[in-house]
């Protein structure tokens, strides 16, 4: 039982690392968005109803998506065979 | 008990809303595979035969790719009652996707049912014609029925029957279902004292499988397998297999990137939501912890997880989700184990509710992008072209198919073209070798419509309309060949996607004469005038 508690603690720790890294990288990336990425946000906004467009396409969501890419790039397990 | 009924009803309601919302409008347009399934269902409902005049084919010739036929047969009734349109052809997928949620609740519990209800891959495959979605529901339904037959052995033939039926719905299931039947057979052989239900189940499965087996080795049916298989030496093939097999377990593909094929994926979403990696990891831990107590249910799901990517890894396509969709069910089940563990902490209940709400917003956002960014992938513009053709039924029209070779089926679908006219082009000797015709159809003629790529030396000297996309006929080409713009066909974002030109052979011939070039044979009539 103590052994399994230790593993659970490690899993909780990894979860916390993942969530903190996601938020941290999002905050870092939000100020690094390129002009192209900002144009992309503006273009996509035109597809939504005007009242909610900014909710679904904004700098935060774009930056979060980039942070997920950066994190999951480390978790590409078929990379070795490319 | 009351709470369980209410939560189950709510999950099913949510599943229907997510799958049924804008069923005919999003994805926008009709994909080639959808059109072939739908048009053949229409052909069966009108003539009792497919578009080539074949009665009850085991697999459809379709556009030479021989897809499975069960989806088409299941679509006959919706097409008969609702007419041939986007809603009627997608209805079976919607029902299969909703049934999968019910099966997940019955087989794996409410949490797994909720996850199946909201997971992007299952929602998306239920919103359009994906034969793999019907096959998945039959396969998982069969597995759950077989589990139940531990208590009621009489259910075993039904379970085996559903597994075999799934092989008629999608090709990959031919491999998966057979392995599962072998696995369950040895399990029940050891477990059952009275072997009669197992014997009946095996006989039923064998009888049901005979028609599919009889055509499985024909050249046409296997042509897709040959086209998709990886070329190279044995070692190259082995490395390719390992690489593709691992790709199906890569968190990068499962939680971030998704299927690279635009038609098989949602914009900005992957197979699962990004946060689902957390319950997956906790679920794996739960499984490892209980590894000594794994029963038939757990072992079956793990077997399904391991064997499903095998056929897909033998091809050259990277991370093709339609071929491996059964492996996502064990993953959802593992996630549900993780969530059950995490829910012991009440704080996580709030977190889970918040994450599912965010996920639904992400899904809505993705569906909006699907409609606007992928309308050309889903051939949205060809519906309007079909309407234009209807309005000009007497004029010869050439449609360029350089980008989408089998696009005749889109016109046939939208205009409900008489299948009898297609059928009359194929004689009995052709039908006798129905399963051996994988050759592509380069030219299709439908009354005044010809579908093929443009032959510049010929087509501009004929008095006709030419419909093509912006790549096939540029502005310079139109000017050079005296083509007069008749109609612009816009995509969903109001951008020109297709153009219809009228040829002007007389003017073209006189311009050729001015250049003192050798006149084309079709010019002679104008020169003589």
């Amino acid at each position: 039982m103590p052994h399994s508690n230790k593993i659970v603690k490690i899993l909780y720790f990894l979860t916390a690392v993942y969530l903190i890294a996601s938020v941290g990288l999002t905050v870092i990336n939000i100020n690094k968005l390129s002009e192209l990425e900002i144009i992309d946000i503006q273009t996509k906004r035109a597809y939504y109803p005007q009242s909610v467009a900014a909710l679904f396409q904004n700098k935060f969501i774009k930056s979060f998506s980039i942070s997920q890419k950066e994190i999951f790039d480390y978790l590409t397990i078929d990379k070795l065979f490319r | 008990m009351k709470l369980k009924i209410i939560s189950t009803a709510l999950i099913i309601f949510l599943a229907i809303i997510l799958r049924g919302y804008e069923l005919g409008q999003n994805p926008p347009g009709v994909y080639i595979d959808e059109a072939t399934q739908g048009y053949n269902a229409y052909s069966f409902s009108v003539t009792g035969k497919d578009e080539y005049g074949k009665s009850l084919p085991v697999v459809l010739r379709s556009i030479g790719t021989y897809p499975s036929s069960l989806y088409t047969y299941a679509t006959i009734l919706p097409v008969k009652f609702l007419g041939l349109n986007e809603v009627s052809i997608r209805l079976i997928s919607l029902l299969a996707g909703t049934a999968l949620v019910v099966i997940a609740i019955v087989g794996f519990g409410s949490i797994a049912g909720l996850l199946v209800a909201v997971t992007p891959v299952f929602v998306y495959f239920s919103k359009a014609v994906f034969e793999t979605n019907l096959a998945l529901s039959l396969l998982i339904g069969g597995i759950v029925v077989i589990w139940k037959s531990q208590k009621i052995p009489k259910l075993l033939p039904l379970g085996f029957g559903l597994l075999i039926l799934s092989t008629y719905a999608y090709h990959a299931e031919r491999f998966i279902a057979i392995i599962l039947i072998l696995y369950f057979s040895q399990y029940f052989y050891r477990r059952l004292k009275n072997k009669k239900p197992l014997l009946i189940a095996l006989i039923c499965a064998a009888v049901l499988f005979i028609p599919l087996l009889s055509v499985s080795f024909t050249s046409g049916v296997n042509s897709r397998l040959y086209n998709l298989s990886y070329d190279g030496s044995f070692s190259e093939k082995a490395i390719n297999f390992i690489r593709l097999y691992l790709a199906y377990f890569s968190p990068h593909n499962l939680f971030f990137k998704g299927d690279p094929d635009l038609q098989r994926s949602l914009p900005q979403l992957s197979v699962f939501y990004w946060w689902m990696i957390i319950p997956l990891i906790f679920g794996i831990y739960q499984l490892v912890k209980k590894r000594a107590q794994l029963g038939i249910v757990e072992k079956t799901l793990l077997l399904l997880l391991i064997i499903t990517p095998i056929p897909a890894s033998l091809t050259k396509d990277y991370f093709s989700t339609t071929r491996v969709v059964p492996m996502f069910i064990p993953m959802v089940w593992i996630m549900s184990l993780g969530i059950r563990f995490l829910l012991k902490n009440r704080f996580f209940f709030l977190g889970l509710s918040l994450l599912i709400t965010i996920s639904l917003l992400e899904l809505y956002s993705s569906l909006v992008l699907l409609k606007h960014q992928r309308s050309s992938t889903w051939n949205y513009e060809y519906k309007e072209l079909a309407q234009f053709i209807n309005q000009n039924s007497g004029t010869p029209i050439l449609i360029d198919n350089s980008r989408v070779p089998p696009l005749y089926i889109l016109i046939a679908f939208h205009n409900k073209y008489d299948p009898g006219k297609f059928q009359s082009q194929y004689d009995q000797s052709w039908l006798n070798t129905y399963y051996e015709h994988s050759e592509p159809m380069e030219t299709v003629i439908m009354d005044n419509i010809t579908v093929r790529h443009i032959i510049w030396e010929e087509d501009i000297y004929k008095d006709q309309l030419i419909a093509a996309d912006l790549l096939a006929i540029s502005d310079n080409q139109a000017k050079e060949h005296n083509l007069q713009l008749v109609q612009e066909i816009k995509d969903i974002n109001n951008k020109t996607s297709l153009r219809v030109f009228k040829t002007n052979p007389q003017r073209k011939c006189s311009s050729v004469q001015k250049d003192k070039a050798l006149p084309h044979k079709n010019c002679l009539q104008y020169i003589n005038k």
Side-chain angles (χ1 to χ4, degrees):
Chain A
M1 196 65 183
H3 175 66
S4 70
N5 275 345
K6 206 173 174 181
I7 294 173
V8 171
K9 275 181 187 168
I10 292 170
L11 293 181
Y12 275 123
F13 174 74
L14 288 174
T15 305
V17 168
Y18 168 55
L19 293 175
I20 291 167
S22 294
V23 176
L25 285 170
T26 302
V27 172
I28 293 167
N29 287 327
I30 210 161
N31 295 318
K32 287 185 183 172
L33 290 179
S34 68
E35 241 175 78
L36 267 180
E37 283 159 341
I38 290 168
I39 292 169
D40 184 45
I41 294 170
Q42 298 297 341
T43 312
K44 284 177 181 165
R45 274 191 190 180
Y47 304 147
Y48 296 80
Q50 212 178 351
S51 53
V52 293
L55 177 72
F56 292 107
Q57 292 299 331
N58 54 50
K59 280 185 178 181
F60 180 82
I61 284 176
K62 187 83 189 170
S63 179
F64 182 75
S65 168
I66 296 168
S67 77
Q68 291 304 300
K69 184 187 180 310
E70 287 170 352
I71 292 169
F72 281 108
D73 271 351
Y74 289 107
L75 300 172
T76 313
I77 56 175
D78 57 315
K79 207 186 263 180
L80 286 172
F81 293 89
R82 282 186 187 172
Chain B
M1 187 66 185
K2 204 175 174 185
L3 189 72
K4 201 177 175 186
I5 293 170
I6 293 169
S7 64
T8 303
L10 282 175
I11 292 168
I12 296 169
F13 180 70
L14 179 66
I16 294 171
I17 294 291
L18 293 178
R19 286 153 179 76
Y21 173 67
E22 292 193 323
L23 183 68
Q25 293 111 50
N26 201 9
V30 174
Y31 198 66
I32 293 286
D33 297 350
E34 289 191 299
T36 56
Q37 298 274 357
Y39 185 74
N40 278 291
Y42 174 68
S43 179
F44 280 119
S45 75
V46 175
T47 67
K49 294 170 181 174
D50 80 342
E51 62 176 289
Y52 301 98
K54 178 83 176 170
S55 304
L56 291 173
V58 180
V59 290
L60 294 167
R61 185 195 181 265
S62 181
I63 48 174
T65 51
Y66 289 93
S68 303
S69 57
L70 192 63
Y71 195 99
T72 304
Y73 290 125
T75 306
I76 295 173
L77 272 183
V79 165
K80 188 119 190 153
F81 289 110
L82 301 173
L84 180 59
N85 53 52
E86 292 87 339
V87 174
S88 66
I89 61 168
R90 290 173 179 172
L91 197 64
I92 293 299
S93 203
L94 167 76
L95 293 175
T98 310
L100 183 68
V101 175
V102 177
I103 293 164
I105 293 171
V106 173
F108 323 113
S110 299
I111 296 171
L114 176 63
L115 293 179
V116 173
V118 301
T119 294
V121 70
F122 299 122
V123 174
Y124 184 54
F125 285 173
S126 307
K127 288 183 81 67
V129 178
F130 286 101
E131 308 110 89
T132 187
N133 198 42
L134 175 63
L136 176 70
S137 301
L138 291 168
L139 187 84
I140 304 299
I143 291 172
V144 172
V145 168
I146 292 168
W147 289 341
K148 300 286 173 196
S149 60
Q150 288 179 98
K151 283 184 183 166
I152 316 164
K154 279 182 183 172
L155 288 175
L156 207 51
L158 175 65
F160 276 33
L162 286 170
L163 290 188
I164 291 296
L165 213 53
S166 74
T167 64
Y168 285 85
Y170 194 64
H171 287 320
E173 264 69 359
R174 281 188 289 179
F175 171 76
I176 301 165
I178 299 304
I179 299 278
L180 286 175
I181 284 176
L182 291 174
Y183 173 71
F184 284 127
S185 297
Q186 61 82 27
Y187 172 80
F188 282 99
Y189 183 78
R190 280 186 293 164
R191 190 183 160 89
L192 292 177
K193 281 180 188 165
N194 177 11
K195 312 268 191 269
K196 201 175 159 190
L198 176 62
L199 193 66
I200 294 170
L202 280 171
I203 291 170
C204 286
V207 170
L208 270 174
F209 196 55
I210 286 171
L212 186 59
L213 192 68
S214 67
V215 300
S216 281
F217 301 102
T218 55
S219 59
V221 178
N222 281 320
S223 62
R224 186 123 175 92
L225 190 69
Y226 296 133
N227 289 339
L228 287 171
S229 59
Y230 187 81
D231 297 324
S233 64
F234 179 76
S235 60
E236 284 170 341
K237 280 181 179 169
I239 288 173
N240 180 63
F241 176 82
I242 296 167
R243 184 179 75 91
L244 293 186
Y245 189 83
L246 289 176
Y248 289 106
F249 294 91
S250 174
H252 184 265
N253 291 336
L254 292 169
F255 301 98
F256 176 71
K257 201 174 159 213
D259 197 316
D261 188 312
L262 295 182
Q263 191 253 334
R264 295 191 302 241
S265 59
L266 280 166
Q268 291 192 357
L269 278 181
S270 185
V271 175
F272 299 107
Y273 298 105
W274 57 271
W275 57 268
M276 285 179 158
I277 192 169
I278 301 169
L280 182 72
I281 290 169
F282 278 90
I284 292 169
Y285 166 66
Q286 292 299 302
L287 262 184
V288 173
K289 209 168 82 173
K290 291 173 184 164
R291 62 188 178 278
Q293 307 149 24
L294 298 183
I296 177 85
V297 175
E298 292 83 359
K299 283 181 181 169
T300 313
L301 288 170
L302 290 176
L303 178 68
L304 189 62
L305 182 66
I306 294 164
I307 63 168
T308 302
I310 292 175
S313 305
L314 293 167
T315 69
K316 48 192 166 195
D317 290 349
Y318 182 81
F319 200 68
S320 171
T321 46
T322 48
R323 295 189 193 125
V324 297
V325 75
M327 74 178 283
F328 301 138
I329 291 292
M331 285 188 176
V332 160
W333 163 70
I334 295 170
M335 286 171 197
S336 75
L337 295 181
I339 289 177
R340 225 174 275 167
F341 171 78
L342 289 165
L343 281 180
K344 285 176 189 163
N345 184 341
R346 281 185 190 177
F347 169 76
F348 193 78
F349 183 79
L350 278 177
L352 181 69
S353 310
L354 184 70
L355 285 172
I356 287 185
T357 309
I358 292 171
S359 300
L360 293 178
L361 291 174
E362 280 187 272
L363 186 62
Y364 166 76
S365 179
S366 180
L367 289 173
V368 170
L369 292 179
L370 171 73
K371 199 173 187 176
H372 289 276
Q373 288 189 318
R374 306 237 170 126
S375 70
S376 285
T377 307
W378 285 86
N379 305 311
Y380 174 83
E381 49 273 24
Y382 286 96
K383 187 172 185 173
E384 206 182 313
L385 177 65
Q387 281 170 2
F388 175 85
I389 289 167
N390 253 349
Q391 289 158 6
N392 293 274
S393 52
T395 321
I397 303 177
L398 168 69
I399 305 172
D400 177 73
N401 67 348
S402 310
R403 234 68 54 208
V404 191
L407 70 75
Y408 80 93
I409 199 75
L410 294 174
I411 308 299
F413 175 90
H414 289 300
N415 284 351
K416 300 176 186 63
Y417 186 74
D418 179 6
K421 290 182 182 174
F422 279 135
Q423 291 167 357
S424 64
Q425 297 170 23
Y426 301 92
D427 57 18
Q428 193 54 47
S429 64
W430 191 93
L431 288 173
N432 289 342
T433 52
Y434 179 86
Y435 297 107
E436 285 153 27
H437 293 282
S438 58
E439 66 280 358
M441 293 155 74
E442 282 165 7
T443 304
V444 177
I445 296 169
M446 300 150 71
D447 300 336
N448 59 321
I449 309 156
T450 305
V451 183
R452 61 164 165 77
H453 66 268
I454 298 170
I455 305 169
W456 287 102
E457 311 87 77
E458 300 283 333
D459 294 327
I460 49 170
Y461 297 105
K462 289 178 194 161
D463 209 356
Q464 61 180 345
L465 296 173
I466 303 179
D469 61 19
L470 304 182
L471 280 174
I473 301 180
S474 68
D475 289 338
N476 282 344
Q477 282 171 312
K479 202 176 163 188
E480 184 190 338
H481 299 298
N482 302 99
L483 300 177
Q484 181 199 339
L485 184 65
V486 175
Q487 177 93 9
E488 279 190 319
I489 293 169
K490 312 267 185 188
D491 69 5
I492 207 165
N493 301 317
N494 215 25
K495 281 184 185 157
T496 303
S497 184
L498 297 173
R499 294 188 294 186
V500 183
F501 293 95
K502 189 171 183 351
T503 56
N504 194 338
Q506 196 167 356
R507 225 167 129 189
K508 177 66 191 168
C509 288
S510 50
S511 70
V512 170
Q513 255 188 321
K514 271 181 207 167
D515 295 342
K516 292 181 181 170
L518 197 64
H520 186 269
K521 62 178 187 225
N522 285 13
C523 284
L524 293 175
Q525 55 176 314
Y526 300 110
I527 293 167
N528 291 339
K529 274 180 193 172

